[in-house]
Each structure stands twice: as C-alpha cells, then as structure tokens.
Amino acid sequence: MRKWKIALGTAVALGAISVASVHLLDMGNLSLNAGTAGAAPAPAAFVMPVPVASVVKKTIPIYLDYAARIEPIRSITLQARVPGYLQEQTAQDGADVRQGDLLYKISPDDFQAALDQAQAQVQRDTATLDYARSNLGRGSELAKSGYLAKDSFDQRTSTLREAQASLALNQAAVRTAQLNLSYSQIHAPFNGRLGRNQASVGTLVSVAGTVLNTLVQLDPIYVTFNPSETDLTEIEKARAAGPIEVEVLLPGETETSQKGELTFIDNTVDHSTGTITARATIGNAKFTLKPGQYVRVRLHIKQQPDALMVPQTALGSSQLGKYLYVVGKGNTVDQRLVSLGPTSGDLVAILSGVSEGDQVITGNLQKIGPGMPISPLPQKPAT
C-alpha cells in the first residue's frame, strides 16, 4: 500500500512539471511573437546635402601681377645758390606746395648792397660814355677842318670805346647782382611735398653745401616693376595693340585703388635675373601713394572669351593636384582632376576636367568622397 502511494505521488509531480514547462514555453512564444510584431522598420541611410554651382562660360580679363615699388617722377634736394644766413622758412615741414611758392629766405642785405653798387657804376659809366660821345663828335668836326691832329682824334675814339665797354661790363654786374638777390629767395621749382627741414633759421648756408630740405613730386607718380622674359612677349603684343592699363593695389587691399598706364620698358634684360625694368605712370591726386612704398600692380593685357568658370571655394587639393567634386549620375560624387587658369573675382577658370553646365559641389567637401550619394541644394547664381 505504501509503495502504491509513493508511485502515485511521483506521477502527479511529474505531470505538474510537464504542464508548467508547456505553459512557460507558450508564454515565451507569445512574448517573442509580441516583440516581433511591435518592432519599427530600419531607418534609411543618411544622404549629405551639398551646395552646388553650375560651370559657366564668360569673358574674363587677363592680368599679369607683379610686386612693384613707388618712385617719384622728380625728387630734388633744396640747397642755396648764394651764401648767407638763413632768415626764414616760409613753408612748413611736410607742406604741399605749388610751383613758384616761396620756401626759404636768405638774408638779402649783402646782395642788395652789391646791386646798388653795380647800378651806381652803370650810372657813372653812362655819364662817361655820353661825354666821350660828345667829345668825339666835336673832334670829328675839328679833324675835318684840320684843327685837330689825327692822334688826338684817335684818342677820343678810343676813349669812347672804353666807355662803352665799361658800361657793358657794369650792366652785366647789375644783372649778376640781381640774380644773386633773387637767389636769396628759394622757390618751389614744381608742385610737390616738402620733407623735414634740415637747417634752422640763422644757419650760415654755403653754396651747394648746406641741405635745406627735399621736395618730391607726388602727382603723377611712377610705379616700377620687373616683368620676366617670358612675360615680356605678352606685354609687347598687348602694347602693340594699344595702351596697357595698370592697376595698383596697396598692401592689404583686394580692390584697385589707382589706375594708370604702362609708359616705359627698358631696352635691356638683366642677364642675372632674367627680368626687365618697366614703369607705369599713375595719377595720385589724393597723395595715397608715397615714394619708396611697395605695392602690387596688375597689367590688363587682353580679354579671354568663353572661359569655363567655377567658384574658387569648390577647389580641393590632393597629391595628384587640384580637383573638383561634380554631381554625377544618380546624384553621386564624381571627382575630377582639373587644370587651373586665371582668376576673376571669386571665380577661377578651368582649362580641363569639366564642361559647361556641369554642377560642381561648393560646400561640405570634407564630409564627402567619390561615389557617395548626395542631395544637391538649390543653386545660387555665380558672380
């Protein structure tokens, strides 16, 4: 009896375990089915939006760029032509003066006295000449009638000529004294700007020995530069077609400040540098350009039609050279190696690698690569 009870209890326990297992298995299947039914679909791959611009054709100016230096057309050292004490400086240091303006005065007393003396001598010689002329006239009548010896007549003739020579000599002395008196005032020989005064009032100045100041012409002014031998051929061709316009850019400037014209090309190429000296004449009414200043110049030598232009911001660089990213088939990235030409503002000419109408990518260049899918943004007109 006891053995039968033990067997019955064991059977009941095994049945309960079996039912529980089935129940847990069904619950697991229900949970798995519920999880699978509620899952969201996988997200689509991200496509990089990129700004694009079309390759356009346009006519652009062709320039040659050079470093240049400003030089004055005229620059002189102001010095005295007569000795004396410096009496007055009538124009201030750094003043802009006109031709003929009074700049310095040297004490004129000595020169005025010399002029007065020379004029007095002229008056004396004039009186002597008048007497000698009258005396000769009387002697001529007496000589004709035989009352005056020929030797006496010759003496009167000689006295007249001596008086004439003495008068001419002293008249020249008057002109010299007048010049010396005028040299006591130093005037500007041309329009320009004074420098720093180098002789104080009261200084005893000597002839061509004491520097008073410097005067330079600022308008117009020269800009000197050195084209290479290879550029010289292009410049000569452009010069044969007409005047060459030259633009000047001051340091830090991106826009032209002054314009002028190429006016001089030297006759010899420097064999040590392979360059030649050229010069442009530039209007400088505002005195912006100063002698000795370094600038950049651009020579407009011709117009290039039908140039393929893209924004400079679209360019990339690699070990193989410059490249552009172009929108390819299916809105994917296509990399093109390109050859560059001249620039015009924010655009650069492309000599090979793209065609008119191609869409080049102008932004997010660091985030894309060849073959990647992209989403082109609406284009902005090229400038």
Side-chain angles (χ1 to χ4, degrees), residues 213-275:
N213 210 322
T214 57
L215 179 67
V216 296
Q217 179 178 334
L218 296 180
D219 183 30
I221 204 165
Y222 287 147
V223 178
T224 302
F225 53 97
N226 299 96
S228 65
E229 290 181 88
T230 53
D231 290 345
L232 182 59
T233 302
E234 293 293 330
I235 293 174
E236 291 291 3
K237 288 181 181 178
R239 200 179 186 193
I244 298 179
E245 183 182 70
V246 178
E247 300 178 355
V248 179
L249 289 87
L250 293 172
E253 285 187 342
T254 57
E255 297 294 333
T256 300
S257 56
Q258 276 100 352
K259 294 183 180 181
E261 182 180 328
L262 180 67
T263 53
F264 169 77
I265 296 179
D266 208 350
N267 56 7
T268 305
V269 174
D270 187 338
H271 64 85
S272 62
T273 62
T275 61

Short mmCIF file of all heavy atoms in Angstrom, two decimals, residues 213-275:
data_model
loop_
_atom_site.label_atom_id
_atom_site.label_comp_id
_atom_site.label_asym_id
_atom_site.label_seq_id
_atom_site.Cartn_x
_atom_site.Cartn_y
_atom_site.Cartn_z
N ASN A 213 66.30 121.13 -47.43
CA ASN A 213 65.13 120.27 -47.39
C ASN A 213 65.10 119.44 -48.66
O ASN A 213 66.00 119.55 -49.50
CB ASN A 213 63.85 121.12 -47.27
CG ASN A 213 62.73 120.41 -46.54
OD1 ASN A 213 62.55 119.21 -46.70
ND2 ASN A 213 61.99 121.13 -45.71
N THR A 214 64.10 118.60 -48.79
CA THR A 214 63.87 117.85 -50.02
C THR A 214 62.45 118.13 -50.52
O THR A 214 61.54 118.40 -49.72
CB THR A 214 64.04 116.35 -49.81
OG1 THR A 214 63.16 115.91 -48.77
CG2 THR A 214 65.47 116.01 -49.43
N LEU A 215 62.28 118.06 -51.82
CA LEU A 215 60.97 118.28 -52.44
C LEU A 215 60.73 117.16 -53.43
O LEU A 215 61.59 116.90 -54.30
CB LEU A 215 60.92 119.64 -53.14
CG LEU A 215 59.61 119.98 -53.86
CD1 LEU A 215 58.49 120.17 -52.86
CD2 LEU A 215 59.78 121.26 -54.70
N VAL A 216 59.60 116.47 -53.31
CA VAL A 216 59.27 115.37 -54.21
C VAL A 216 57.92 115.64 -54.87
O VAL A 216 57.02 116.22 -54.26
CB VAL A 216 59.23 114.01 -53.49
CG1 VAL A 216 60.59 113.65 -52.95
CG2 VAL A 216 58.20 114.01 -52.38
N GLN A 217 57.82 115.22 -56.11
CA GLN A 217 56.55 115.32 -56.83
C GLN A 217 55.74 114.06 -56.55
O GLN A 217 56.23 112.94 -56.70
CB GLN A 217 56.81 115.46 -58.33
CG GLN A 217 55.55 115.54 -59.16
CD GLN A 217 55.84 115.71 -60.64
OE1 GLN A 217 56.89 116.23 -61.02
NE2 GLN A 217 54.92 115.27 -61.49
N LEU A 218 54.48 114.23 -56.16
CA LEU A 218 53.62 113.10 -55.81
C LEU A 218 52.52 112.84 -56.83
O LEU A 218 51.92 111.75 -56.81
CB LEU A 218 52.98 113.35 -54.44
CG LEU A 218 53.94 113.43 -53.25
CD1 LEU A 218 53.17 113.66 -51.97
CD2 LEU A 218 54.79 112.18 -53.13
N ASP A 219 52.22 113.76 -57.69
CA ASP A 219 51.13 113.58 -58.65
C ASP A 219 51.50 114.20 -60.00
O ASP A 219 51.67 115.43 -60.08
CB ASP A 219 49.85 114.23 -58.13
CG ASP A 219 48.66 114.02 -59.06
OD1 ASP A 219 48.66 112.98 -59.76
OD2 ASP A 219 47.77 114.88 -59.10
N PRO A 220 51.64 113.34 -61.04
CA PRO A 220 51.58 111.87 -61.01
C PRO A 220 52.84 111.28 -60.42
O PRO A 220 53.76 112.01 -60.03
CB PRO A 220 51.44 111.52 -62.50
CG PRO A 220 52.14 112.64 -63.20
CD PRO A 220 51.85 113.88 -62.39
N ILE A 221 52.88 109.94 -60.37
CA ILE A 221 54.00 109.25 -59.73
C ILE A 221 54.29 107.98 -60.51
O ILE A 221 53.44 107.48 -61.26
CB ILE A 221 53.65 108.95 -58.25
CG1 ILE A 221 54.91 108.79 -57.42
CG2 ILE A 221 52.73 107.75 -58.14
CD1 ILE A 221 54.65 108.87 -55.93
N TYR A 222 55.51 107.46 -60.37
CA TYR A 222 55.91 106.25 -61.07
C TYR A 222 55.71 105.01 -60.19
O TYR A 222 55.86 105.07 -58.97
CB TYR A 222 57.39 106.29 -61.45
CG TYR A 222 57.74 107.22 -62.59
CD1 TYR A 222 58.96 107.88 -62.63
CD2 TYR A 222 56.86 107.42 -63.65
CE1 TYR A 222 59.30 108.72 -63.67
CE2 TYR A 222 57.19 108.26 -64.70
CZ TYR A 222 58.41 108.90 -64.71
OH TYR A 222 58.74 109.74 -65.74
N VAL A 223 55.36 103.89 -60.85
CA VAL A 223 55.36 102.57 -60.22
C VAL A 223 56.27 101.68 -61.06
O VAL A 223 56.01 101.46 -62.24
CB VAL A 223 53.94 101.97 -60.15
CG1 VAL A 223 53.98 100.59 -59.53
CG2 VAL A 223 53.01 102.87 -59.36
N THR A 224 57.36 101.22 -60.45
CA THR A 224 58.37 100.45 -61.17
C THR A 224 58.28 98.98 -60.78
O THR A 224 58.16 98.65 -59.60
CB THR A 224 59.77 101.00 -60.85
OG1 THR A 224 59.82 102.39 -61.21
CG2 THR A 224 60.84 100.26 -61.63
N PHE A 225 58.36 98.09 -61.77
CA PHE A 225 58.29 96.65 -61.53
C PHE A 225 59.17 95.94 -62.55
O PHE A 225 59.74 96.58 -63.45
CB PHE A 225 56.84 96.15 -61.60
CG PHE A 225 56.13 96.52 -62.86
CD1 PHE A 225 56.03 95.63 -63.91
CD2 PHE A 225 55.54 97.78 -63.00
CE1 PHE A 225 55.37 95.97 -65.08
CE2 PHE A 225 54.88 98.13 -64.17
CZ PHE A 225 54.80 97.23 -65.21
N ASN A 226 59.29 94.60 -62.41
CA ASN A 226 60.25 93.85 -63.22
C ASN A 226 59.61 92.60 -63.82
O ASN A 226 59.61 91.54 -63.19
CB ASN A 226 61.46 93.46 -62.39
CG ASN A 226 62.20 94.66 -61.85
OD1 ASN A 226 61.99 95.08 -60.71
ND2 ASN A 226 63.06 95.24 -62.64
N PRO A 227 59.02 92.71 -65.02
CA PRO A 227 58.47 91.52 -65.68
C PRO A 227 59.59 90.56 -66.09
O PRO A 227 60.73 90.96 -66.32
CB PRO A 227 57.76 92.09 -66.91
CG PRO A 227 57.66 93.56 -66.66
CD PRO A 227 58.80 93.93 -65.80
N SER A 228 59.23 89.28 -66.20
CA SER A 228 60.19 88.28 -66.66
C SER A 228 60.29 88.29 -68.17
O SER A 228 59.47 88.89 -68.87
CB SER A 228 59.77 86.89 -66.17
OG SER A 228 58.54 86.53 -66.78
N GLU A 229 61.28 87.58 -68.67
CA GLU A 229 61.46 87.48 -70.13
C GLU A 229 60.25 86.84 -70.79
O GLU A 229 59.84 87.25 -71.88
CB GLU A 229 62.72 86.66 -70.44
CG GLU A 229 64.02 87.33 -70.10
CD GLU A 229 65.20 86.47 -70.45
OE1 GLU A 229 65.69 86.54 -71.59
OE2 GLU A 229 65.63 85.69 -69.58
N THR A 230 59.68 85.82 -70.13
CA THR A 230 58.53 85.14 -70.73
C THR A 230 57.31 86.06 -70.79
O THR A 230 56.53 86.00 -71.74
CB THR A 230 58.20 83.88 -69.92
OG1 THR A 230 58.04 84.23 -68.54
CG2 THR A 230 59.32 82.85 -70.03
N ASP A 231 57.13 86.88 -69.77
CA ASP A 231 56.01 87.81 -69.78
C ASP A 231 56.21 88.96 -70.76
O ASP A 231 55.23 89.56 -71.22
CB ASP A 231 55.78 88.40 -68.38
CG ASP A 231 55.26 87.37 -67.40
OD1 ASP A 231 54.80 86.30 -67.88
OD2 ASP A 231 55.31 87.63 -66.19
N LEU A 232 57.47 89.26 -71.06
CA LEU A 232 57.76 90.42 -71.92
C LEU A 232 57.12 90.27 -73.29
O LEU A 232 56.63 91.24 -73.87
CB LEU A 232 59.27 90.59 -72.05
CG LEU A 232 59.75 91.78 -72.87
CD1 LEU A 232 59.23 93.08 -72.29
CD2 LEU A 232 61.28 91.80 -72.94
N THR A 233 57.08 89.02 -73.81
CA THR A 233 56.47 88.81 -75.13
C THR A 233 54.99 89.16 -75.11
O THR A 233 54.48 89.85 -76.01
CB THR A 233 56.65 87.33 -75.55
OG1 THR A 233 58.04 87.02 -75.56
CG2 THR A 233 56.06 87.09 -76.92
N GLU A 234 54.27 88.71 -74.07
CA GLU A 234 52.85 89.03 -73.95
C GLU A 234 52.63 90.54 -73.79
O GLU A 234 51.70 91.12 -74.35
CB GLU A 234 52.24 88.28 -72.76
CG GLU A 234 52.20 86.78 -72.92
CD GLU A 234 51.23 86.35 -74.00
OE1 GLU A 234 50.23 87.06 -74.22
OE2 GLU A 234 51.47 85.30 -74.64
N ILE A 235 53.49 91.17 -73.02
CA ILE A 235 53.35 92.61 -72.80
C ILE A 235 53.57 93.38 -74.09
O ILE A 235 52.83 94.32 -74.40
CB ILE A 235 54.33 93.08 -71.70
CG1 ILE A 235 53.93 92.47 -70.36
CG2 ILE A 235 54.35 94.59 -71.59
CD1 ILE A 235 54.93 92.74 -69.25
N GLU A 236 54.56 92.99 -74.85
CA GLU A 236 54.84 93.69 -76.11
C GLU A 236 53.70 93.52 -77.10
O GLU A 236 53.34 94.45 -77.83
CB GLU A 236 56.16 93.20 -76.70
CG GLU A 236 57.41 93.58 -75.92
CD GLU A 236 57.70 95.07 -75.98
OE1 GLU A 236 56.91 95.83 -76.57
OE2 GLU A 236 58.74 95.48 -75.43
N LYS A 237 53.09 92.33 -77.12
CA LYS A 237 51.94 92.12 -78.01
C LYS A 237 50.78 93.03 -77.60
O LYS A 237 50.13 93.65 -78.45
CB LYS A 237 51.49 90.65 -77.95
CG LYS A 237 52.43 89.67 -78.64
CD LYS A 237 51.88 88.26 -78.53
CE LYS A 237 52.80 87.25 -79.20
NZ LYS A 237 52.29 85.86 -79.07
N ALA A 238 50.52 93.08 -76.31
CA ALA A 238 49.43 93.94 -75.83
C ALA A 238 49.74 95.41 -76.07
O ALA A 238 48.85 96.19 -76.41
CB ALA A 238 49.20 93.68 -74.33
N ARG A 239 50.99 95.78 -75.92
CA ARG A 239 51.38 97.18 -76.12
C ARG A 239 51.23 97.59 -77.59
O ARG A 239 50.89 98.73 -77.89
CB ARG A 239 52.82 97.37 -75.67
CG ARG A 239 53.21 98.81 -75.38
CD ARG A 239 54.65 98.88 -74.92
NE ARG A 239 55.01 100.22 -74.51
CZ ARG A 239 56.24 100.62 -74.30
NH1 ARG A 239 57.24 99.76 -74.44
NH2 ARG A 239 56.50 101.86 -73.91
N ALA A 240 51.49 96.64 -78.49
CA ALA A 240 51.31 96.93 -79.90
C ALA A 240 49.85 97.16 -80.25
O ALA A 240 49.54 97.88 -81.21
CB ALA A 240 51.88 95.79 -80.74
N ALA A 241 48.94 96.56 -79.49
CA ALA A 241 47.50 96.71 -79.76
C ALA A 241 46.93 97.99 -79.17
O ALA A 241 45.83 98.41 -79.55
CB ALA A 241 46.74 95.51 -79.22
N GLY A 242 47.64 98.64 -78.27
CA GLY A 242 47.13 99.87 -77.66
C GLY A 242 47.71 100.06 -76.27
O GLY A 242 48.50 99.24 -75.79
N PRO A 243 47.36 101.15 -75.61
CA PRO A 243 47.87 101.41 -74.25
C PRO A 243 47.48 100.29 -73.30
O PRO A 243 46.38 99.74 -73.38
CB PRO A 243 47.20 102.74 -73.86
CG PRO A 243 46.80 103.37 -75.16
CD PRO A 243 46.48 102.25 -76.09
N ILE A 244 48.38 99.96 -72.39
CA ILE A 244 48.13 98.92 -71.39
C ILE A 244 47.74 99.57 -70.08
O ILE A 244 48.49 100.38 -69.53
CB ILE A 244 49.37 98.04 -71.20
CG1 ILE A 244 49.72 97.31 -72.50
CG2 ILE A 244 49.15 97.04 -70.08
CD1 ILE A 244 50.94 96.43 -72.40
N GLU A 245 46.55 99.23 -69.58
CA GLU A 245 46.09 99.77 -68.30
C GLU A 245 46.77 99.03 -67.14
O GLU A 245 46.91 97.81 -67.17
CB GLU A 245 44.58 99.61 -68.19
CG GLU A 245 43.99 100.22 -66.93
CD GLU A 245 42.50 100.00 -66.81
OE1 GLU A 245 42.09 98.85 -66.59
OE2 GLU A 245 41.75 100.98 -66.97
N VAL A 246 47.19 99.79 -66.16
CA VAL A 246 47.87 99.24 -64.99
C VAL A 246 47.06 99.61 -63.75
O VAL A 246 46.70 100.78 -63.55
CB VAL A 246 49.30 99.78 -64.86
CG1 VAL A 246 49.97 99.23 -63.61
CG2 VAL A 246 50.11 99.43 -66.10
N GLU A 247 46.76 98.61 -62.93
CA GLU A 247 46.03 98.82 -61.68
C GLU A 247 46.98 98.64 -60.51
O GLU A 247 47.84 97.75 -60.53
CB GLU A 247 44.86 97.85 -61.56
CG GLU A 247 43.85 97.97 -62.69
CD GLU A 247 42.72 96.97 -62.58
OE1 GLU A 247 42.78 96.12 -61.66
OE2 GLU A 247 41.79 97.03 -63.39
N VAL A 248 46.82 99.47 -59.48
CA VAL A 248 47.69 99.44 -58.31
C VAL A 248 46.87 99.00 -57.10
O VAL A 248 45.78 99.52 -56.86
CB VAL A 248 48.32 100.82 -58.05
CG1 VAL A 248 49.19 100.78 -56.81
CG2 VAL A 248 49.13 101.27 -59.26
N LEU A 249 47.40 98.04 -56.35
CA LEU A 249 46.76 97.58 -55.11
C LEU A 249 47.74 97.80 -53.96
O LEU A 249 48.87 97.30 -53.99
CB LEU A 249 46.39 96.10 -55.19
CG LEU A 249 45.23 95.72 -56.11
CD1 LEU A 249 45.73 95.48 -57.53
CD2 LEU A 249 44.51 94.49 -55.60
N LEU A 250 47.29 98.55 -52.96
CA LEU A 250 48.09 98.77 -51.77
C LEU A 250 48.10 97.52 -50.90
O LEU A 250 47.23 96.65 -51.04
CB LEU A 250 47.53 99.95 -50.97
CG LEU A 250 47.62 101.32 -51.65
CD1 LEU A 250 46.85 102.36 -50.84
CD2 LEU A 250 49.07 101.76 -51.80
N PRO A 251 49.08 97.38 -50.02
CA PRO A 251 49.11 96.20 -49.14
C PRO A 251 47.81 96.05 -48.36
O PRO A 251 47.32 97.00 -47.76
CB PRO A 251 50.29 96.51 -48.21
CG PRO A 251 51.18 97.41 -49.01
CD PRO A 251 50.26 98.25 -49.84
N GLY A 252 47.26 94.84 -48.39
CA GLY A 252 46.01 94.57 -47.68
C GLY A 252 44.76 94.85 -48.49
O GLY A 252 43.66 94.53 -48.05
N GLU A 253 44.91 95.46 -49.67
CA GLU A 253 43.74 95.79 -50.49
C GLU A 253 43.41 94.63 -51.42
O GLU A 253 44.30 93.91 -51.89
CB GLU A 253 43.99 97.04 -51.32
CG GLU A 253 43.94 98.34 -50.54
CD GLU A 253 44.03 99.55 -51.46
OE1 GLU A 253 44.46 99.40 -52.63
OE2 GLU A 253 43.66 100.64 -51.01
N THR A 254 42.14 94.47 -51.69
CA THR A 254 41.69 93.50 -52.68
C THR A 254 41.06 94.19 -53.89
O THR A 254 40.83 93.55 -54.91
CB THR A 254 40.66 92.53 -52.07
OG1 THR A 254 39.56 93.29 -51.52
CG2 THR A 254 41.30 91.70 -50.96
N GLU A 255 40.76 95.46 -53.75
CA GLU A 255 40.19 96.24 -54.84
C GLU A 255 41.20 97.29 -55.28
O GLU A 255 42.00 97.80 -54.48
CB GLU A 255 38.89 96.92 -54.42
CG GLU A 255 37.78 95.95 -54.04
CD GLU A 255 37.30 95.13 -55.23
OE1 GLU A 255 37.42 95.62 -56.38
OE2 GLU A 255 36.82 94.00 -55.02
N THR A 256 41.16 97.63 -56.57
CA THR A 256 42.10 98.59 -57.14
C THR A 256 41.88 99.97 -56.53
O THR A 256 40.76 100.44 -56.42
CB THR A 256 41.91 98.67 -58.66
OG1 THR A 256 42.15 97.37 -59.21
CG2 THR A 256 42.88 99.67 -59.26
N SER A 257 42.98 100.62 -56.14
CA SER A 257 42.88 101.97 -55.57
C SER A 257 43.19 103.04 -56.62
O SER A 257 42.54 104.07 -56.65
CB SER A 257 43.84 102.11 -54.38
OG SER A 257 45.17 101.81 -54.77
N GLN A 258 44.19 102.81 -57.47
CA GLN A 258 44.55 103.75 -58.52
C GLN A 258 44.81 103.02 -59.82
O GLN A 258 45.15 101.83 -59.82
CB GLN A 258 45.79 104.57 -58.14
CG GLN A 258 45.50 105.78 -57.28
CD GLN A 258 45.78 105.51 -55.82
OE1 GLN A 258 46.05 104.40 -55.44
NE2 GLN A 258 45.73 106.53 -55.00
N LYS A 259 44.65 103.74 -60.91
CA LYS A 259 44.92 103.18 -62.22
C LYS A 259 45.81 104.14 -63.00
O LYS A 259 45.83 105.34 -62.76
CB LYS A 259 43.62 102.95 -63.01
CG LYS A 259 42.71 101.88 -62.42
CD LYS A 259 41.49 101.67 -63.29
CE LYS A 259 40.58 100.60 -62.70
NZ LYS A 259 39.39 100.37 -63.57
N GLY A 260 46.57 103.56 -63.92
CA GLY A 260 47.44 104.36 -64.76
C GLY A 260 47.72 103.63 -66.06
O GLY A 260 46.94 102.78 -66.50
N GLU A 261 48.87 103.93 -66.64
CA GLU A 261 49.22 103.38 -67.95
C GLU A 261 50.69 103.01 -67.98
O GLU A 261 51.54 103.71 -67.40
CB GLU A 261 48.90 104.41 -69.03
CG GLU A 261 49.18 103.93 -70.44
CD GLU A 261 48.85 105.00 -71.48
OE1 GLU A 261 47.93 105.79 -71.24
OE2 GLU A 261 49.54 105.05 -72.52
N LEU A 262 50.99 101.89 -68.64
CA LEU A 262 52.39 101.49 -68.84
C LEU A 262 53.05 102.49 -69.78
O LEU A 262 52.60 102.68 -70.91
CB LEU A 262 52.44 100.08 -69.42
CG LEU A 262 53.84 99.51 -69.68
CD1 LEU A 262 54.57 99.29 -68.37
CD2 LEU A 262 53.76 98.21 -70.46
N THR A 263 54.12 103.13 -69.32
CA THR A 263 54.75 104.20 -70.11
C THR A 263 56.21 103.93 -70.45
O THR A 263 56.79 104.67 -71.25
CB THR A 263 54.68 105.53 -69.34
OG1 THR A 263 55.22 105.37 -68.02
CG2 THR A 263 53.23 106.01 -69.23
N PHE A 264 56.82 102.90 -69.87
CA PHE A 264 58.25 102.69 -70.12
C PHE A 264 58.61 101.24 -69.94
O PHE A 264 58.19 100.58 -68.98
CB PHE A 264 59.08 103.55 -69.15
CG PHE A 264 60.55 103.22 -69.15
CD1 PHE A 264 61.37 103.67 -70.17
CD2 PHE A 264 61.10 102.47 -68.12
CE1 PHE A 264 62.72 103.36 -70.17
CE2 PHE A 264 62.45 102.17 -68.11
CZ PHE A 264 63.27 102.62 -69.14
N ILE A 265 59.38 100.70 -70.88
CA ILE A 265 60.03 99.40 -70.76
C ILE A 265 61.49 99.60 -71.15
O ILE A 265 61.80 100.17 -72.19
CB ILE A 265 59.38 98.34 -71.67
CG1 ILE A 265 57.93 98.08 -71.24
CG2 ILE A 265 60.15 97.03 -71.62
CD1 ILE A 265 57.21 97.07 -72.10
N ASP A 266 62.38 99.14 -70.30
CA ASP A 266 63.81 99.35 -70.52
C ASP A 266 64.26 98.63 -71.80
O ASP A 266 63.56 97.77 -72.34
CB ASP A 266 64.59 98.84 -69.31
CG ASP A 266 65.91 99.58 -69.13
OD1 ASP A 266 66.29 100.35 -70.05
OD2 ASP A 266 66.55 99.41 -68.08
N ASN A 267 65.47 98.98 -72.25
CA ASN A 267 65.97 98.42 -73.51
C ASN A 267 66.89 97.23 -73.32
O ASN A 267 67.44 96.70 -74.28
CB ASN A 267 66.70 99.50 -74.32
CG ASN A 267 67.82 100.15 -73.52
OD1 ASN A 267 68.16 99.72 -72.42
ND2 ASN A 267 68.40 101.20 -74.08
N THR A 268 67.08 96.78 -72.07
CA THR A 268 68.00 95.67 -71.80
C THR A 268 67.41 94.77 -70.72
O THR A 268 66.92 95.24 -69.70
CB THR A 268 69.36 96.19 -71.32
OG1 THR A 268 69.89 97.11 -72.28
CG2 THR A 268 70.35 95.04 -71.14
N VAL A 269 67.50 93.45 -70.96
CA VAL A 269 67.10 92.47 -69.96
C VAL A 269 68.29 92.20 -69.05
O VAL A 269 69.41 92.01 -69.51
CB VAL A 269 66.64 91.16 -70.63
CG1 VAL A 269 66.35 90.08 -69.59
CG2 VAL A 269 65.40 91.41 -71.47
N ASP A 270 68.05 92.19 -67.76
CA ASP A 270 69.09 91.90 -66.78
C ASP A 270 69.45 90.42 -66.86
O ASP A 270 68.63 89.56 -66.54
CB ASP A 270 68.60 92.26 -65.38
CG ASP A 270 69.69 92.16 -64.32
OD1 ASP A 270 70.69 91.44 -64.56
OD2 ASP A 270 69.55 92.79 -63.26
N HIS A 271 70.68 90.11 -67.32
CA HIS A 271 71.05 88.71 -67.54
C HIS A 271 71.15 87.92 -66.23
O HIS A 271 71.04 86.69 -66.23
CB HIS A 271 72.38 88.64 -68.29
CG HIS A 271 73.55 89.20 -67.52
ND1 HIS A 271 74.25 88.46 -66.61
CD2 HIS A 271 74.10 90.44 -67.51
CE1 HIS A 271 75.21 89.21 -66.07
NE2 HIS A 271 75.13 90.42 -66.59
N SER A 272 71.34 88.61 -65.11
CA SER A 272 71.49 87.90 -63.83
C SER A 272 70.14 87.48 -63.25
O SER A 272 70.07 86.50 -62.50
CB SER A 272 72.24 88.77 -62.83
OG SER A 272 71.51 89.97 -62.56
N THR A 273 69.07 88.19 -63.58
CA THR A 273 67.75 87.88 -63.04
C THR A 273 66.75 87.45 -64.10
O THR A 273 65.70 86.89 -63.77
CB THR A 273 67.17 89.09 -62.29
OG1 THR A 273 67.01 90.19 -63.22
CG2 THR A 273 68.09 89.53 -61.16
N GLY A 274 67.05 87.70 -65.37
CA GLY A 274 66.10 87.36 -66.42
C GLY A 274 64.87 88.24 -66.44
O GLY A 274 63.83 87.84 -66.94
N THR A 275 64.99 89.44 -65.89
CA THR A 275 63.86 90.37 -65.85
C THR A 275 64.26 91.68 -66.52
O THR A 275 65.43 91.94 -66.79
CB THR A 275 63.43 90.66 -64.41
OG1 THR A 275 64.52 91.27 -63.69
CG2 THR A 275 63.01 89.39 -63.70
#
